[in-house]
Structure formats: C-alpha cells, structure tokens
Amino acid sequence: MFPIGDDNSDVFITPYVNYGLIAVNILVFLLLQQAGYNDQFTYAFSLVPKEIVTGHDIAGTELIRDMSGQIIGKITLEPTPFSVYITFLSSMFMHGGFMHIAGNMLFLWIFGDNIENRIGHVRYLVFYLVCGFLAAAGQIVMDTGSTIPMLGASGAISGVLGGYILLFPNNRVRALIFNFFTTVPAFVAVGLWIVLQVIESYLGSGEGGVAYAAHIGGFLGGLILIKIFAIGTGTGGGGRYLPPKY
C-alpha cells in the first residue's frame, strides 16, 4: 500500500510541528549523515539493542549471526560520545538511504497534519516522540542481544498511523494498492499496511533489513495513546476538530 494523499478538508491549522519533523529528518540525513556516506556518525548514533539492555557502549567490529549461529556478516560500531540512551532520540531522525527517507517523509506528510490538527502542536510532538520510543522498545524486546543498529522514523510514523486509523477511520486516502490507483477509507489503507507488517514479521522477512517489530510496536503505541492525547479536544461548527490551545 503506497499512499499519495488524503482528505485534508478538516485541517485548518498550519502543521508547524509536522513540517519541522520532516525538515529535521532531511537535514540530519543530508548534513550529518552526508546522505548516507558518513558511516562514523551513523554507527555512533544509531540505536543498538544490546547497548540499551546492558547500558554499555559497544565499539569495534561485531560479527552478525543468523538464527542457527552461523556468521553471515560483520559490522563496525562507532563509540557513542554521549549516553547510549540518547540513541533512542537520535536514531528516530536518521535513515539508511534516499528511498528510506523518501518513503517515511511521504507517510509523515500525508498523515501527520491530521493528527496535529486534532490534538494540537505540543501534544503532537510529544505523541510522535513517545511512539518512536515505544517502537524502538518493541524491536529491542524481540532481540535483546542484537548488535545490529536500528535507525529511521518508521516507528514513530507507525504511531501516527495508529492514531490516524482510530481518529479518522473513514477519511478518504488516495493510494496505489498493489498495481492500481484507488481511493479507499483510511481503515482499509492503513489496515492493509499493518496487516502486511504482521505477515512480514511472522514470515521472518525482518532479516531483509526492516524492523517490523518496531513498526508494529509503534502502531500499537499510537492506537493506545491517541485517545489520551486527544482528551480535551472536540468538534466545533460543521464538525471540524478544535485542537487544545497552547
């Protein structure tokens, strides 16, 4: 499922936070990661599950093994100049390549503004970051001893999708589904996306470099938290959502 747009007729505030999140992701990728060519920065600030579980920074060459224990590769981790727990935040704004960041930012551009419009700027920022944290935690729980770095905004954006499907289940989403363009309700478009994540995770396709557990963890976090973050919001004239004032 590849979305290309949604119904924004009820969005009446400028989503400054959503724009800011997109800008920060792009700037980190281009300036700090140098479009993916700065391995030293990338491997210093990505999140490594084993570092989080033990609280100790790991630097140097680590062997990567498959489920049977066979060595399938190696990776060189760089020392993290601050506490390893800062990588919960830094890894949310880093990406592995142009297609990775392009896909993530497209999803955030389409779905994030509706959530920000509903719950307000400050709540949306907190909601996004908490979902990203929960997504990373979900992946860590799946493999606490992994030394494979994690990075990307996918987990936090999955939380946005979880909130979106709960608040706007019938919003019309324009999407490329399989090989045809169509317009479907959000619960169909987003529902198909999360079903595919579960299937891929069950089949073990995460070995291809996608942290499906983080996607699922972020999505569940968004589902659970969005109603809490939406407390105090309501509808005004014409059914338009009124965000809390800050």
Side-chain angles (χ1 to χ4, degrees), residues 2 26 31 38 40 49 51 72 84 87-88 95 111 122 152 159 162 165 168 172 178 181 186 215 222 239 243:
F2 194 78
I26 293 174
L31 300 182
N38 188 349
Q40 184 175 4
E51 290 184 343
I72 57 175
V84 294
T87 59
F88 267 109
H95 290 83
F111 297 106
V122 175
I165 197 174
F168 313 105
R172 307 302 293 181
F178 298 111
F181 288 98
H215 292 181

Side-chain angles (χ1 to χ4, degrees), residues 66-118:
D66 61 16
M67 297 295 291
S68 66
Q70 182 179 354
I71 298 174
I72 57 175
K74 61 182 180 180
I75 193 168
T76 301
L77 300 177
E78 298 289 341
T80 303
F82 309 106
S83 167
V84 294
Y85 298 109
I86 196 67
T87 59
F88 267 109
L89 180 63
S90 61
S91 62
M92 285 188 220
F93 295 93
M94 299 165 58
H95 290 83
F98 281 103
M99 293 303 295
H100 188 199
I101 190 171
N104 277 349
M105 294 305 101
L106 176 64
F107 269 71
L108 188 55
W109 175 272
I110 292 172
F111 297 106
D113 54 352
N114 302 79
I115 301 295
E116 184 172 353
N117 180 75
R118 174 65 187 270

Side-chain angles (χ1 to χ4, degrees), residues 39-40 42-51 56-64 74-80 146-150:
D39 288 343
Q40 184 175 4
T42 298
Y43 289 120
F45 288 95
S46 297
L47 186 149
V48 178
K50 188 174 181 179
E51 290 184 343
H56 297 296
D57 192 18
I58 301 173
T61 301
E62 290 287 318
L63 299 178
I64 307 302
K74 61 182 180 180
I75 193 168
T76 301
L77 300 177
E78 298 289 341
T80 303
S146 174
T147 55
I148 300 176
M150 295 168 45

